[in-house]
Coordinates of all heavy atoms in Angstrom, one line a residue:
M21 N -118.4 -12.2 23.6 CA -118.5 -12.9 22.3 C -117.9 -14.3 22.4 O -116.8 -14.5 22.9 CB -117.9 -12.3 21.2 CG -118.3 -12.7 19.8 SD -117.6 -11.7 18.5 CE -117.1 -13.1 17.3
T22 N -118.7 -15.4 22.0 CA -118.2 -16.7 22.0 C -117.3 -17.0 20.9 O -117.8 -16.7 19.8 CB -119.3 -17.7 22.1 OG1 -120.2 -17.3 23.3 CG2 -118.8 -19.1 22.5
A23 N -116.2 -17.5 21.1 CA -115.3 -17.9 20.0 C -116.0 -19.1 19.1 O -116.6 -20.0 19.8 CB -113.9 -18.4 20.5
M24 N -116.0 -19.0 17.8 CA -116.4 -20.3 17.2 C -115.4 -21.0 16.5 O -114.5 -20.5 15.9 CB -117.5 -19.6 16.2 CG -118.1 -20.9 15.4 SD -119.2 -20.3 13.9 CE -117.7 -20.1 12.7
Y25 N -115.3 -22.4 16.7 CA -114.4 -23.1 16.2 C -115.1 -23.9 14.9 O -116.1 -24.5 15.1 CB -113.9 -24.1 17.2 CG -113.2 -23.6 18.4 CD1 -113.8 -23.3 19.6 CD2 -111.9 -23.3 18.1 CE1 -113.1 -22.8 20.6 CE2 -111.0 -22.8 19.3 CZ -111.7 -22.5 20.3 OH -111.0 -21.9 21.4
I26 N -114.4 -23.9 13.9 CA -114.8 -24.8 12.7 C -113.9 -25.9 12.8 O -112.6 -25.8 12.8 CB -114.5 -24.0 11.4 CG1 -115.6 -22.8 11.4 CG2 -114.9 -24.9 10.2 CD1 -115.4 -21.8 10.2
W27 N -114.4 -27.1 12.7 CA -113.6 -28.4 12.7 C -114.2 -29.5 12.1 O -115.4 -29.5 11.7 CB -113.2 -28.7 14.3 CG -114.5 -28.9 15.2 CD1 -115.3 -27.9 15.7 CD2 -115.0 -30.1 15.8 NE1 -116.3 -28.4 16.4 CE2 -116.1 -29.7 16.4 CE3 -114.6 -31.4 15.6 CZ2 -116.9 -30.7 17.1 CZ3 -115.4 -32.4 16.3 CH2 -116.5 -32.0 17.0
I28 N -113.4 -30.5 11.9 CA -114.0 -31.6 11.0 C -114.1 -32.9 11.9 O -115.0 -33.7 11.6 CB -113.2 -31.8 9.8 CG1 -113.7 -32.8 8.8 CG2 -111.6 -32.1 10.2 CD1 -113.0 -32.9 7.5
A29 N -113.1 -33.1 12.8 CA -113.2 -34.3 13.6 C -112.3 -34.2 14.8 O -111.4 -33.3 14.9 CB -112.4 -35.4 12.7
E30 N -112.5 -35.0 15.7 CA -111.5 -34.9 17.0 C -110.2 -35.6 16.5 O -110.2 -36.4 15.6 CB -112.4 -35.8 18.0 CG -113.4 -35.1 18.6 CD -114.2 -35.8 19.8 OE1 -113.7 -37.0 20.0 OE2 -115.2 -35.3 20.2
C31 N -109.3 -35.2 17.0 CA -107.9 -35.7 16.7 C -107.9 -37.2 17.0 O -108.3 -37.7 18.0 CB -106.8 -35.0 17.5 SG -105.2 -35.6 17.1
P32 N -107.3 -38.0 16.0 CA -107.2 -39.5 16.2 C -106.2 -39.9 17.3 O -106.3 -41.0 17.7 CB -106.9 -40.1 14.8 CG -106.2 -38.8 14.1 CD -106.9 -37.5 14.6
F33 N -105.4 -38.9 17.6 CA -104.5 -39.1 18.8 C -105.2 -38.8 20.1 O -106.0 -37.9 20.0 CB -103.2 -38.4 18.4 CG -102.5 -38.7 17.2 CD1 -102.6 -37.8 16.0 CD2 -102.0 -39.9 16.9 CE1 -102.0 -38.1 14.9 CE2 -101.5 -40.3 15.6 CZ -101.4 -39.3 14.6
I34 N -104.8 -39.3 21.1 CA -105.5 -39.1 22.3 C -105.1 -37.8 23.0 O -104.5 -37.7 24.1 CB -105.3 -40.2 23.2 CG1 -105.5 -41.6 22.5 CG2 -106.3 -40.1 24.4 CD1 -106.9 -41.8 22.0
D35 N -105.4 -36.8 22.4 CA -105.0 -35.4 22.9 C -106.2 -34.5 23.2 O -105.9 -33.3 23.4 CB -103.9 -34.8 22.2 CG -104.2 -34.4 20.8 OD1 -105.4 -34.4 20.4 OD2 -103.4 -34.2 19.9
Q36 N -107.3 -34.9 22.9 CA -108.6 -34.1 23.0 C -108.5 -32.9 22.2 O -109.3 -32.0 22.3 CB -108.7 -33.7 24.4 CG -109.0 -35.0 25.3 CD -109.4 -34.5 26.8 OE1 -108.7 -33.5 27.4 NE2 -110.3 -35.2 27.4
G37 N -107.7 -32.9 21.0 CA -107.6 -31.6 20.0 C -108.8 -31.8 19.1 O -109.4 -33.0 18.9
L38 N -109.0 -30.8 18.4 CA -109.9 -30.8 17.2 C -109.1 -30.5 16.0 O -108.2 -29.8 16.0 CB -110.9 -29.7 17.4 CG -111.8 -29.8 18.6 CD1 -112.8 -28.4 18.7 CD2 -112.7 -31.0 18.5
V39 N -109.4 -31.2 15.0 CA -108.8 -31.0 13.7 C -109.5 -29.9 13.0 O -110.7 -30.1 12.6 CB -108.7 -32.4 12.9 CG1 -108.0 -32.1 11.5 CG2 -108.1 -33.4 13.6
R40 N -108.8 -28.9 12.7 CA -109.4 -27.7 12.1 C -108.7 -27.2 10.8 O -107.6 -27.5 10.6 CB -109.4 -26.7 13.2 CG -110.0 -26.9 14.5 CD -109.7 -25.9 15.7 NE -110.0 -24.7 15.2 CZ -109.7 -23.5 15.9 NH1 -109.0 -23.5 17.1 NH2 -110.3 -22.4 15.5
P41 N -109.6 -26.6 10.0 CA -108.9 -26.1 8.8 C -108.0 -24.9 9.0 O -108.4 -24.0 9.7 CB -110.3 -25.7 7.9 CG -111.2 -25.4 8.8 CD -111.0 -26.2 10.0
L42 N -106.9 -24.9 8.3 CA -105.9 -23.8 8.5 C -105.5 -23.2 7.2 O -105.2 -24.1 6.3 CB -104.7 -24.4 9.2 CG -103.6 -23.6 9.6 CD1 -103.8 -22.8 11.0 CD2 -102.2 -24.4 9.8
V43 N -105.5 -22.0 7.1 CA -105.0 -21.3 5.9 C -103.5 -21.0 6.0 O -103.1 -20.5 7.0 CB -105.8 -19.8 5.7 CG1 -105.4 -19.3 4.4 CG2 -107.3 -20.1 5.7
T44 N -102.9 -21.6 4.9 CA -101.3 -21.3 5.0 C -101.0 -20.0 4.2 O -101.8 -19.5 3.5 CB -100.6 -22.4 4.3 OG1 -101.0 -22.6 3.0 CG2 -100.9 -23.8 5.1
R45 N -99.7 -19.6 4.2 CA -99.4 -18.3 3.6 C -99.7 -18.5 2.0 O -99.8 -17.4 1.5 CB -97.9 -18.1 3.9 CG -97.0 -18.8 3.1 CD -95.7 -18.4 3.4 NE -94.8 -19.2 4.1 CZ -93.7 -18.8 5.0 NH1 -93.5 -17.6 4.9 NH2 -93.1 -19.8 5.6
S46 N -99.6 -19.6 1.5 CA -99.9 -19.6 0.1 C -101.5 -19.7 -0.3 O -101.8 -19.7 -1.4 CB -99.2 -20.9 -0.5 OG -99.9 -22.1 0.2
G47 N -102.3 -19.7 0.8 CA -103.7 -19.7 0.6 C -104.2 -21.1 0.5 O -105.4 -21.4 0.4
I48 N -103.3 -22.0 0.5 CA -103.7 -23.5 0.5 C -104.3 -23.9 1.9 O -103.6 -23.5 3.0 CB -102.6 -24.5 0.2 CG1 -102.4 -24.2 -1.4 CG2 -102.9 -25.9 0.3 CD1 -101.0 -25.0 -1.9
L49 N -105.4 -24.6 2.0 CA -106.0 -25.1 3.2 C -105.3 -26.4 3.5 O -105.2 -27.3 2.6 CB -107.5 -25.2 3.0 CG -108.4 -24.5 4.1 CD1 -108.1 -23.0 3.9 CD2 -109.8 -24.7 3.7
V50 N -105.0 -26.5 4.8 CA -104.6 -27.9 5.3 C -105.5 -28.1 6.5 O -106.2 -27.3 7.0 CB -103.2 -27.9 5.7 CG1 -102.3 -27.7 4.5 CG2 -102.8 -26.9 7.0
L51 N -105.5 -29.4 7.2 CA -106.1 -29.6 8.3 C -105.1 -29.8 9.5 O -104.1 -30.6 9.4 CB -106.9 -31.0 8.1 CG -108.1 -30.8 7.1 CD1 -108.7 -32.4 6.9 CD2 -109.1 -29.9 7.6
M52 N -105.3 -29.2 10.6 CA -104.4 -29.2 11.7 C -105.1 -29.4 13.0 O -106.1 -28.9 13.3 CB -103.5 -27.9 11.8 CG -102.4 -27.9 12.9 SD -101.7 -26.4 13.2 CE -100.2 -26.6 12.1
C53 N -104.5 -30.4 13.8 CA -105.0 -30.5 15.1 C -104.6 -29.3 16.1 O -103.4 -29.0 15.9 CB -104.4 -31.7 15.8 SG -104.9 -32.0 17.6
D54 N -105.6 -28.8 16.8 CA -105.1 -27.6 17.6 C -104.5 -27.8 18.9 O -104.2 -27.0 19.6 CB -106.4 -26.6 17.7 CG -107.6 -27.4 18.5 OD1 -107.3 -28.4 19.1 OD2 -108.6 -26.6 18.6
S55 N -104.3 -29.2 19.0 CA -103.6 -29.5 20.3 C -102.2 -30.1 19.9 O -101.2 -29.5 20.4 CB -104.3 -30.7 21.0 OG -103.7 -31.0 22.2
C56 N -102.0 -31.1 19.1 CA -100.8 -31.7 18.8 C -100.1 -31.2 17.5 O -99.0 -31.4 17.4 CB -100.9 -33.2 18.8 SG -101.8 -33.8 17.4
G57 N -100.9 -30.4 16.7 CA -100.3 -29.6 15.6 C -100.1 -30.7 14.4 O -99.4 -30.3 13.4
T58 N -100.6 -31.9 14.4 CA -100.4 -32.8 13.3 C -101.2 -32.2 12.1 O -102.2 -31.5 12.3 CB -101.1 -34.1 13.7 OG1 -100.3 -34.7 14.7 CG2 -101.0 -35.2 12.5
V59 N -100.6 -32.4 11.0 CA -101.3 -31.8 9.7 C -101.6 -32.9 8.7 O -100.8 -33.8 8.4 CB -100.3 -30.7 9.1 CG1 -100.8 -30.4 7.8 CG2 -100.1 -29.6 10.0
W60 N -102.8 -32.9 8.2 CA -103.3 -33.7 7.2 C -103.5 -32.8 6.0 O -104.0 -31.6 6.2 CB -104.6 -34.3 7.5 CG -104.3 -35.4 8.6 CD1 -104.3 -36.8 8.5 CD2 -104.5 -35.2 10.0 NE1 -104.2 -37.3 9.8 CE2 -104.3 -36.4 10.7 CE3 -104.7 -34.0 10.8 CZ2 -104.4 -36.5 12.1 CZ3 -104.6 -34.2 12.2 CH2 -104.5 -35.4 12.8
C61 N -103.4 -33.3 4.7 CA -103.5 -32.5 3.6 C -105.0 -32.5 3.1 O -105.3 -31.5 2.2 CB -102.7 -32.9 2.5 SG -100.9 -33.0 2.9
S62 N -105.9 -33.4 3.4 CA -107.2 -33.4 3.0 C -108.1 -34.3 4.0 O -107.6 -35.1 4.7 CB -107.4 -34.0 1.6 OG -107.1 -35.4 1.7
P63 N -109.3 -34.0 3.9 CA -110.2 -34.8 4.8 C -110.0 -36.4 4.6 O -110.2 -37.2 5.5 CB -111.7 -34.5 4.5 CG -111.5 -33.0 3.9 CD -110.2 -33.0 3.2
E64 N -110.0 -36.9 3.3 CA -109.6 -38.3 3.0 C -108.5 -38.8 3.9 O -108.4 -40.0 4.3 CB -109.5 -38.5 1.6 CG -110.7 -38.3 0.7 CD -110.8 -36.7 0.5 OE1 -109.8 -36.1 0.4 OE2 -112.0 -36.2 0.5
E65 N -107.4 -38.0 4.0 CA -106.2 -38.5 4.6 C -106.3 -38.7 6.1 O -105.4 -39.2 6.8 CB -105.1 -37.6 4.3 CG -104.8 -37.7 2.8 CD -103.4 -37.1 2.3 OE1 -102.9 -36.3 3.2 OE2 -103.2 -37.1 1.2
L66 N -107.4 -38.2 6.7 CA -107.5 -38.3 8.1 C -107.7 -39.8 8.5 O -107.5 -40.1 9.6 CB -108.8 -37.5 8.5 CG -108.7 -36.1 9.0 CD1 -110.2 -35.5 9.3 CD2 -107.9 -36.0 10.4
E67 N -108.1 -40.6 7.5 CA -108.4 -42.0 7.8 C -107.1 -42.7 7.6 O -107.1 -43.9 7.7 CB -109.5 -42.5 7.0 CG -110.8 -41.7 7.1 CD -111.3 -41.9 8.5 OE1 -111.4 -42.8 9.0 OE2 -112.0 -40.8 8.8
T68 N -106.1 -42.0 7.2 CA -104.8 -42.8 6.7 C -103.6 -42.6 7.7 O -103.7 -41.7 8.6 CB -104.4 -42.4 5.3 OG1 -103.9 -41.1 5.4 CG2 -105.6 -42.5 4.4
E69 N -102.5 -43.1 7.3 CA -101.2 -42.8 8.2 C -100.5 -41.7 7.4 O -99.3 -41.4 7.7 CB -100.6 -44.0 8.1 CG -101.1 -45.3 8.8 CD -101.3 -45.0 10.3 OE1 -100.3 -44.7 11.0 OE2 -102.3 -45.1 10.8
K70 N -101.2 -41.0 6.5 CA -100.5 -39.9 5.8 C -100.6 -38.6 6.6 O -101.8 -37.9 6.5 CB -101.0 -39.8 4.3 CG -100.4 -41.0 3.5 CD -101.0 -40.7 2.0 CE -100.6 -39.3 1.3 NZ -101.1 -39.2 0.0
Y71 N -99.7 -38.3 7.4 CA -99.9 -37.0 8.1 C -98.5 -36.5 8.5 O -97.4 -37.4 8.3 CB -100.6 -37.2 9.4 CG -100.1 -38.2 10.3 CD1 -99.1 -38.0 11.2 CD2 -100.9 -39.5 10.3 CE1 -98.6 -38.9 12.0 CE2 -100.4 -40.5 11.1 CZ -99.2 -40.1 12.1 OH -98.8 -41.2 12.7
A72 N -98.3 -35.3 8.8 CA -97.0 -34.8 9.3 C -97.1 -34.2 10.6 O -98.3 -33.7 10.9 CB -96.5 -33.7 8.0
Q73 N -96.1 -34.1 11.3 CA -96.1 -33.4 12.6 C -94.9 -32.3 12.4 O -93.7 -32.6 12.8 CB -95.8 -34.4 13.8 CG -97.0 -35.2 13.8 CD -97.0 -36.3 14.9 OE1 -95.9 -37.0 15.0 NE2 -98.0 -36.6 15.6
P74 N -95.3 -31.3 11.8 CA -94.2 -30.2 11.5 C -93.6 -29.7 12.7 O -94.0 -29.5 13.8 CB -95.1 -29.1 10.9 CG -96.5 -29.7 10.5 CD -96.6 -30.8 11.5
T75 N -92.2 -29.4 12.6 CA -91.4 -28.9 13.7 C -90.4 -27.9 13.0 O -90.3 -27.9 11.8 CB -90.5 -30.1 14.3 OG1 -89.9 -30.9 13.2 CG2 -91.4 -31.0 15.1
A76 N -89.8 -27.1 13.9 CA -88.8 -26.2 13.6 C -87.5 -26.9 12.9 O -87.4 -28.1 13.3 CB -88.4 -25.4 14.8
P77 N -86.9 -26.4 12.1 CA -87.0 -25.1 11.5 C -87.8 -24.9 10.4 O -88.2 -23.8 10.0 CB -85.5 -24.7 11.2 CG -84.9 -25.9 10.8 CD -85.6 -27.0 11.5
D78 N -88.1 -26.0 9.7 CA -88.8 -25.8 8.4 C -90.4 -25.9 8.4 O -91.0 -25.5 7.5 CB -88.2 -26.7 7.4 CG -88.4 -28.2 7.8 OD1 -88.2 -28.5 9.0 OD2 -88.8 -29.1 7.0
W79 N -90.9 -26.5 9.5 CA -92.3 -26.6 9.6 C -93.0 -27.1 8.3 O -94.0 -26.8 8.1 CB -93.1 -25.2 10.0 CG -92.4 -24.7 11.1 CD1 -91.3 -23.7 11.3 CD2 -92.8 -25.0 12.6 NE1 -91.1 -23.5 12.6 CE2 -91.8 -24.2 13.4 CE3 -93.8 -25.8 13.1 CZ2 -92.0 -24.1 14.8 CZ3 -93.8 -25.8 14.6 CH2 -92.9 -25.1 15.4
S80 N -92.4 -28.2 7.8 CA -92.9 -28.6 6.5 C -94.0 -29.7 6.7 O -94.1 -30.4 7.8 CB -91.8 -29.3 5.7 OG -91.2 -30.5 6.2
T81 N -94.8 -29.8 5.8 CA -96.0 -30.8 5.8 C -95.8 -31.6 4.5 O -94.9 -31.5 3.9 CB -97.3 -30.0 5.6 OG1 -97.4 -29.5 4.3 CG2 -97.4 -28.9 6.8
L82 N -96.8 -32.5 4.3 CA -96.7 -33.4 3.1 C -97.5 -32.8 2.1 O -97.8 -33.3 1.0 CB -97.3 -34.7 3.5 CG -96.7 -35.6 4.6 CD1 -97.4 -36.9 4.9 CD2 -95.3 -35.8 4.2
C83 N -97.9 -31.4 2.2 CA -98.9 -30.8 1.4 C -98.2 -29.9 0.4 O -99.0 -29.2 -0.3 CB -99.9 -30.0 2.1 SG -100.7 -31.0 3.5
G84 N -96.9 -29.8 0.5 CA -96.1 -28.7 -0.4 C -96.2 -27.3 0.1 O -95.8 -26.4 -0.5
V85 N -96.6 -27.3 1.5 CA -96.6 -25.8 2.1 C -96.1 -26.1 3.5 O -96.2 -27.2 4.1 CB -98.1 -25.2 2.1 CG1 -98.6 -25.0 0.8 CG2 -99.0 -26.2 2.9
D86 N -95.6 -25.0 4.1 CA -95.2 -25.1 5.5 C -96.2 -24.3 6.4 O -97.0 -23.5 6.0 CB -93.7 -24.5 5.6 CG -93.7 -23.0 5.4 OD1 -94.0 -22.3 6.4 OD2 -93.5 -22.6 4.3
V87 N -96.1 -24.7 7.7 CA -97.0 -24.1 8.5 C -96.1 -23.3 9.7 O -96.4 -23.3 10.9 CB -97.9 -25.1 9.2 CG1 -99.0 -25.6 8.2 CG2 -97.1 -26.2 9.7
S88 N -95.2 -22.6 9.2 CA -94.4 -21.7 10.1 C -95.2 -20.9 11.0 O -96.1 -20.2 10.5 CB -93.3 -20.9 9.3 OG -92.6 -21.7 8.5
P89 N -95.0 -20.7 12.3 CA -95.6 -19.9 13.2 C -95.7 -18.5 12.7 O -94.6 -18.0 12.1 CB -94.8 -20.0 14.4 CG -94.2 -21.3 14.4 CD -93.7 -21.5 12.9
G90 N -96.7 -17.8 12.7 CA -97.0 -16.5 12.3 C -97.5 -16.4 10.9 O -97.6 -15.3 10.4
T91 N -97.4 -17.4 10.0 CA -97.7 -17.4 8.7 C -99.1 -18.1 8.4 O -99.5 -18.0 7.2 CB -96.7 -18.2 7.7 OG1 -96.7 -19.6 8.0 CG2 -95.3 -17.6 8.0
T92 N -99.8 -18.6 9.3 CA -101.0 -19.4 9.1 C -102.1 -18.7 10.1 O -101.9 -18.0 11.0 CB -100.9 -20.8 9.4 OG1 -100.5 -20.9 10.9 CG2 -99.7 -21.4 8.6
R93 N -103.3 -19.0 9.8 CA -104.4 -18.7 10.6 C -105.5 -19.8 10.4 O -105.7 -20.4 9.4 CB -105.0 -17.2 10.2 CG -105.5 -17.1 8.8 CD -106.1 -15.8 8.5 NE -106.4 -15.6 7.1 CZ -107.5 -16.1 6.6 NH1 -108.4 -16.6 7.3 NH2 -107.7 -16.0 5.1
W94 N -106.4 -19.9 11.5 CA -107.5 -20.8 11.4 C -108.4 -20.2 10.2 O -108.7 -19.0 10.2 CB -108.2 -21.0 12.8 CG -107.4 -21.6 13.7 CD1 -107.0 -20.8 14.9 CD2 -106.7 -22.9 13.8 NE1 -106.2 -21.8 15.6 CE2 -106.0 -23.0 15.0 CE3 -106.7 -23.9 13.0 CZ2 -105.4 -24.1 15.3 CZ3 -106.0 -25.1 13.3 CH2 -105.4 -25.1 14.4
A95 N -109.0 -21.1 9.6 CA -109.9 -20.7 8.5 C -111.2 -20.3 9.0 O -111.8 -20.8 10.0 CB -110.2 -21.9 7.6
D96 N -111.8 -19.3 8.3 CA -113.3 -19.0 8.7 C -114.3 -19.5 7.7 O -113.8 -20.1 6.8 CB -113.3 -17.4 8.9 CG -112.9 -16.7 7.6 OD1 -113.0 -17.3 6.5 OD2 -112.5 -15.5 7.6
D97 N -115.5 -19.0 7.8 CA -116.6 -19.6 7.1 C -116.2 -19.3 5.6 O -116.6 -20.1 4.7 CB -118.0 -18.9 7.4 CG -118.5 -19.6 8.6 OD1 -118.6 -20.8 8.6 OD2 -119.2 -18.8 9.4
Q98 N -115.8 -18.0 5.2 CA -115.5 -17.7 3.8 C -114.4 -18.6 3.4 O -114.4 -19.1 2.1 CB -115.1 -16.2 3.8 CG -115.1 -15.7 2.3 CD -114.8 -14.2 2.3 OE1 -114.3 -13.6 3.3 NE2 -115.2 -13.6 1.2
D99 N -113.3 -18.8 4.1 CA -112.3 -19.6 3.6 C -112.7 -21.1 3.1 O -112.4 -21.6 2.2 CB -111.2 -19.8 4.6 CG -110.5 -18.4 5.0 OD1 -110.3 -17.8 4.1 OD2 -110.4 -18.3 6.2
I100 N -113.6 -21.6 4.1 CA -113.9 -23.0 3.8 C -115.0 -23.1 2.6 O -115.0 -24.1 1.9 CB -114.5 -23.7 5.0 CG1 -115.6 -23.1 5.7 CG2 -113.3 -24.0 6.1 CD1 -116.3 -23.9 6.7
E101 N -115.6 -21.9 2.4 CA -116.6 -21.9 1.3 C -115.9 -21.8 0.0 O -116.1 -22.4 -1.1 CB -117.5 -20.7 1.5 CG -118.7 -20.7 0.5 CD -119.7 -19.7 0.9 OE1 -120.0 -19.6 2.1 OE2 -120.1 -18.8 0.0
L102 N -114.9 -20.9 0.0 CA -114.1 -20.7 -1.2 C -113.0 -21.7 -1.6 O -112.7 -21.9 -2.7 CB -113.3 -19.1 -1.1 CG -114.3 -18.0 -1.1 CD1 -113.6 -16.7 -0.9 CD2 -115.3 -17.9 -2.2
T103 N -112.3 -22.3 -0.5 CA -111.1 -23.0 -0.7 C -111.2 -24.3 -0.1 O -110.3 -25.0 -0.2 CB -109.8 -22.3 -0.4 OG1 -110.0 -21.9 0.8 CG2 -109.6 -21.0 -1.4
G104 N -112.2 -24.6 0.6 CA -112.4 -25.9 1.3 C -112.8 -26.9 0.3 O -112.9 -26.7 -0.9
W105 N -112.8 -28.2 0.8 CA -112.9 -29.4 0.0 C -114.5 -29.6 -0.1 O -115.3 -29.3 1.0 CB -112.4 -30.6 0.7 CG -110.9 -30.5 1.0 CD1 -109.9 -30.9 0.1 CD2 -110.2 -30.0 2.0 NE1 -108.7 -30.6 0.5 CE2 -108.8 -29.9 1.8 CE3 -110.6 -29.4 3.3 CZ2 -107.8 -29.6 2.7 CZ3 -109.7 -28.9 4.2 CH2 -108.2 -28.9 3.9
P106 N -114.9 -29.9 -1.3 CA -116.3 -30.0 -1.5 C -117.0 -31.0 -0.6 O -116.4 -32.1 -0.4 CB -116.5 -30.2 -3.0 CG -115.3 -30.0 -3.6 CD -114.3 -30.0 -2.4
G107 N -118.3 -30.8 -0.2 CA -119.0 -31.9 0.4 C -118.6 -32.2 1.9 O -119.2 -33.2 2.4
V108 N -117.8 -31.4 2.5 CA -117.4 -31.7 3.9 C -118.4 -31.2 4.9 O -118.9 -30.1 4.7 CB -116.0 -31.0 4.3 CG1 -115.7 -31.2 5.7 CG2 -114.8 -31.6 3.3
A109 N -118.8 -32.0 5.7 CA -119.7 -31.5 6.9 C -119.0 -31.0 8.0 O -118.6 -31.6 9.0 CB -120.6 -32.7 7.2
W110 N -118.5 -29.7 7.9 CA -117.8 -29.0 9.0 C -118.7 -29.0 10.2 O -119.8 -28.7 10.1 CB -117.4 -27.6 8.6 CG -116.5 -27.7 7.4 CD1 -116.9 -27.2 6.0 CD2 -115.1 -27.9 7.3 NE1 -115.8 -27.3 5.1 CE2 -114.8 -27.7 5.9 CE3 -114.3 -28.4 8.3 CZ2 -113.4 -27.9 5.5 CZ3 -112.9 -28.6 7.8 CH2 -112.5 -28.3 6.6
K111 N -118.0 -29.2 11.4 CA -118.8 -29.1 12.6 C -118.3 -27.5 13.1 O -117.3 -27.1 12.9 CB -118.3 -30.1 13.6 CG -118.6 -31.5 13.1 CD -118.0 -32.5 14.1 CE -118.4 -33.8 13.7 NZ -117.8 -34.3 12.4
K112 N -119.4 -26.9 13.8 CA -119.1 -25.6 14.4 C -119.6 -25.7 15.8 O -120.6 -25.8 16.2 CB -119.7 -24.5 13.6 CG -119.2 -24.5 12.2 CD -120.0 -23.6 11.3 CE -119.6 -23.5 9.8 NZ -120.3 -22.6 9.0
T113 N -118.6 -25.3 16.7 CA -118.9 -25.1 18.2 C -118.3 -23.9 18.6 O -117.5 -23.3 18.1 CB -118.3 -26.3 18.9 OG1 -116.9 -26.4 18.6 CG2 -119.1 -27.7 18.6
Ligands
ZN218 ZN1 -103.9 -34.0 18.0

């Protein structure tokens, strides 16, 4: 079975990562690069300098949620349908 990646854009940093929707423990969706771990709070912020690079011990973001290892998972189709941002053209590969 081929893994499916849901993503919105290539990472703006030169790391060949994909920016993907991530479900946090609170159920809030954030966007995270699967390579460098940078977190954006919404698709609009991808175009801005508003991002966080969460690190131990608090793994905090600018979104009011943390992304501590083991508490998050990549979003699936149902997640982005139910809690994603309206009107986003998600890419799937
Ligand atoms: Zn990245």
Side-chain angles (χ1 to χ4, degrees):
M21 187 177 140
T22 308
M24 192 188 72
Y25 294 97
I26 300 173
W27 54 288
I28 186 166
E30 291 174 359
C31 182
F33 306 108
I34 311 300
D35 60 18
Q36 298 185 318
L38 296 178
V39 180
R40 301 171 58 191
L42 184 81
V43 182
T44 63
R45 76 173 109 203
S46 57
I48 292 174
L49 234 61
V50 299
L51 296 169
M52 179 186 270
C53 171
D54 64 6
S55 178
C56 65
T58 300
V59 171
W60 295 262
C61 298
S62 72
E64 294 76 37
E65 293 187 356
L66 268 174
E67 307 295 323
T68 72
E69 298 292 310
K70 284 179 64 181
Y71 56 79
Q73 292 175 321
T75 53
D78 58 318
W79 302 95
S80 63
T81 67
L82 301 177
C83 321
V85 295
D86 69 84
V87 290
S88 300
T91 69
T92 63
R93 60 179 173 81
W94 297 114
D96 59 23
D97 274 321
Q98 189 174 26
D99 295 317
I100 58 175
E101 190 173 314
L102 293 177
T103 54
W105 302 270
V108 173
W110 297 103
K111 299 176 176 69
K112 296 176 185 179
T113 51

